[in-house]
Amino acid sequence: MSKKIAITGPESTGKSTLAKQLAEHYGCLLVEEYAREYIDKLKNPYTQEDILIIAKTQKEIEQQKIKETDKLLISDTELIVTKIWSEVKYKECHPWILENIEKQDYDLYLLCDIDLPWQDDPQREHPHLRKQLFDLYKQELENRNLDYKIISGKKEERFENAKRFIEAYL
């Protein structure tokens, strides 16, 4: 039976880099973040409906990948990300996302800390809300009584901290 680890947290906290490092280190499958690919293809600004499409597609990709392994699966995002994104941007979240968060079955969440410098990117929107967003993620994980660890540190230290938590879990 495979184990699933979700990388979560605010934008510009090194989630994608960490997810790729971990998947390579453990020689396991990686579910990459679909939002970036989807938004790159848009000709207009994204909408709340786009967030729902992203969430559903992300879930479909993950469900396909989980069928391909009986070991570890690293996910470079999960539905709490789309929930918080939608609520911050539109002050509400689609019921499908809320219902499917309840069905998520990650064994461990790695919450990326905001201790990395902000990296500007056309898809990133909230450099001034990093602490508030981090607190929303932490509160969401705690309210749902999910097993999570905060991943802090620069570059190699961050990776080593994540590995230490995963190995203690496994």
Side-chain angles (χ1 to χ4, degrees), residues 82-147:
T82 53
K83 175 188 185 289
I84 291 173
W85 178 16
S86 188
E87 289 175 346
V88 168
K89 181 80 171 179
Y90 298 105
K91 308 295 183 239
E92 64 181 4
C93 183
H94 193 280
W96 184 93
I97 295 172
L98 298 174
E99 290 167 18
N100 281 275
I101 286 174
E102 297 298 325
K103 298 174 188 172
Q104 289 191 142
D105 58 349
Y106 296 102
D107 298 288
L108 180 65
Y109 290 78
L110 301 180
L111 173 58
C112 290
D113 202 348
I114 58 172
D115 58 343
L116 294 179
W118 176 266
Q119 297 288 318
D120 203 28
D121 177 310
Q123 289 190 17
R124 295 184 178 147
E125 303 177 88
H126 304 292
H128 57 291
L129 295 179
R130 294 182 89 196
K131 173 72 169 115
Q132 294 95 316
L133 289 170
F134 179 83
D135 291 344
L136 287 173
Y137 280 92
K138 188 171 184 265
Q139 180 180 42
E140 189 76 28
L141 293 164
E142 288 176 357
N143 288 348
R144 294 178 180 283
N145 200 31
L146 297 170
D147 191 3

Side-chain angles (χ1 to χ4, degrees), residues 5-66:
I5 297 176
I7 313 296
T8 195
E11 57 192 357
S12 193
T13 56
K15 294 183 300 293
S16 295
T17 298
L18 181 62
K20 288 174 187 167
Q21 288 175 313
L22 292 169
E24 183 177 310
H25 174 77
Y26 289 105
C28 66
L29 291 180
L30 169 65
V31 180
E32 295 189 64
E33 178 189 32
Y34 178 69
R36 182 163 290 280
E37 175 186 336
Y38 181 88
I39 290 174
D40 274 347
K41 293 177 183 174
L42 289 177
K43 304 244 186 288
N44 298 308
Y46 71 84
T47 65
Q48 191 170 12
E49 183 63 27
D50 289 317
I51 295 174
L52 178 61
I53 292 167
I54 290 165
K56 286 182 174 182
T57 305
Q58 185 75 38
K59 193 70 180 163
E60 288 169 13
I61 294 167
E62 180 184 291
Q63 288 171 337
Q64 183 57 43
K65 291 263 186 171
I66 200 72

Side-chain angles (χ1 to χ4, degrees), residues 140-157:
E140 189 76 28
L141 293 164
E142 288 176 357
N143 288 348
R144 294 178 180 283
N145 200 31
L146 297 170
D147 191 3
Y148 78 96
K149 302 295 181 197
I150 296 172
I151 305 301
S152 302
K154 308 285 189 268
K155 297 184 182 182
E156 192 64 27
E157 179 187 8

